[in-house]
Amino acid sequence: MNNVTAAAAAAGDAAAGIAGISYWKLFATFTVLVLVWDQISYIQKKGSIAGPTFKMYPIIGPFLESLDPKFEEYKAKWDSGKLSCVSIFHKFVVIASDRDLSRKIFQASQFVKPCVVDVAVKILRPQNWVFLDGKAHTDYRKSLNGLFTKTALAQYLPSLEIVMDKYMEKFVEYSKENNYEPRVFFHEMREILCAVSLRAFCGNYITEDQTRKIADDYYLVTAALELVNFPIILPFTKTWYGKKTADMAMKIFENCAQQAKDHIAAGGEPVCVMDAWCKLMQDAKDDDDEEARVLHRQFSNKEISEAIFTMLFASQDASSSLCCWLFQLMADRPDILAKVREEQLAVRGGDPTKRVDLDMIEEMKYTYMVIKETLRYRPPVIMVPYVVKKKFPVTPNYTAPKGAMLIPTLYPALHDPEVYENPDEFIPERWVEGSKASEAKKNWLVFGCGPHVCLGRTYVMITFCALLGKFAMYTNWEHKVTPLSEKIKVFATIFPKDDLLLNFKKRDPITGEIHE
């Protein structure tokens, strides 16, 4: 009995001792363990590459700085080493600033795949083709290649020129309403490129009101897909608004897809991407080629809408960036703009009313060099995030861990002084055939390389040659230079920090006379 009593007393004492340990001490112990684990995990993943020795801000890392990304901070990372790292919350990020390492990552589909950001799967929809991998991704890309050949693009050009004409008038009218005082044109550049893209993708199946609605709201998708964002979609957050906008646009695209199918079934000719896609599907049904039937199976309206949205996602911010820089650079360099104007009249045989076609664009050698130099000087996309599928020996001395984000950069390769003399100067002539720049194919990473190289790279060059040519002939624009004009703002892609202050006036394409 005494033994039982003693045991009970001992148990009581133990219970009292445990109860005596306060909850805050347990919490403090747990917190310390988590913080130590976070630091040890970071140090192990970092290895020998450049980056902070420790996470200065445990767990969150430089999260607050990433909410307002600055180009100068990115550049400092690139300059710190060929490989550098940072860790934000659960994401360990490795940044490659070297040209050859960037190319290696782009081409290493067995080790990496594009990841965009965590919330992208929810916004773009998990079954979207951009999230396919391996052969499935390769086959899907093959099914889309026919939509962006020069022959296909030539079919889209007439309707794109109509959109460009409308926006020339709008830009002049906007300026007139503001007494031709310079005003912010950042939003207008995003709108015109959205309108051009949607006309190329959807033709006349999408209305002007729908186009304007998507153009007005698309920045919500951009904001939702920023590199660092809350990964859970909660009401009234950036990601919530972004998903609402994406769902709205995809619903519109589904209706457009059905109209395109009806148009082609009735014997209509393709005039937009959706038409061309439906024509490929229709032709494949009666084709003896098994591969053609597999590649051009009968895609549903939903599948087409999702693919079209990813095309808009891929083009909207990048093309808007290019447009902003292009108009700023031309306004600030009237000697270059004068050469563009001279060429535009020449390729039209002195007749400015001649409608643009593919043969004409292929004669725009100087205009093409201007577009290409703009893409080099201010590449819209400065880095592309990938996720590591399995341990990836990026260099003999460093292996990126599975699950890490691996980011090849484009900007350093495009500003390499060994390839581009005076890389921080805007020199279209550096692209003449046979020049050092034109022969340095490995440095030309504007559209990426490897299995995920941009599908629309030819479309971009053709569209912007047509766009710049039209505006150069029929309008004159002035740019208000500010201390922020050449500074870079990062908003998915890059833009002038002062948001581009312009005014537009009508111009006689023959005499050059300016009209107010």
Side-chain angles (χ1 to χ4, degrees), residues 129-143:
W129 78 279
V130 296
F131 302 118
L132 296 175
D133 200 15
K135 187 177 186 302
H137 176 264
T138 301
D139 287 347
Y140 208 115
R141 277 184 66 97
K142 285 181 181 177
S143 71

Side-chain angles (χ1 to χ4, degrees), residues 111-157:
F111 291 106
V112 300
K113 65 177 180 179
C115 65
V116 197
V117 291
D118 289 345
V119 78
V121 175
K122 300 181 181 76
I123 292 177
L124 300 179
R125 297 178 180 172
Q127 67 274 19
N128 201 303
W129 78 279
V130 296
F131 302 118
L132 296 175
D133 200 15
K135 187 177 186 302
H137 176 264
T138 301
D139 287 347
Y140 208 115
R141 277 184 66 97
K142 285 181 181 177
S143 71
L144 301 177
N145 285 339
L147 309 179
F148 294 98
T149 63
K150 285 188 176 182
T151 301
L153 295 172
Q155 297 173 318
Y156 316 151
L157 266 175

Side-chain angles (χ1 to χ4, degrees), residues 461-506:
M461 300 305 293
I462 287 175
T463 300
F464 274 90
C465 280
L467 179 69
L468 178 59
K470 291 288 293 188
F471 271 83
M473 286 195 304
Y474 284 96
T475 69
N476 188 70
W477 63 95
E478 297 172 330
H479 171 234
K480 180 180 179 180
V481 179
T482 74
L484 297 177
S485 295
E486 284 288 334
K487 300 292 184 182
I488 294 173
K489 174 178 73 173
V490 181
F491 181 60
T493 51
I494 63 173
F495 296 91
K497 241 180 183 176
D498 62 6
D499 286 339
L500 189 63
L501 298 166
L502 298 176
N503 72 67
F504 286 81
K505 295 176 182 176
K506 287 185 177 181

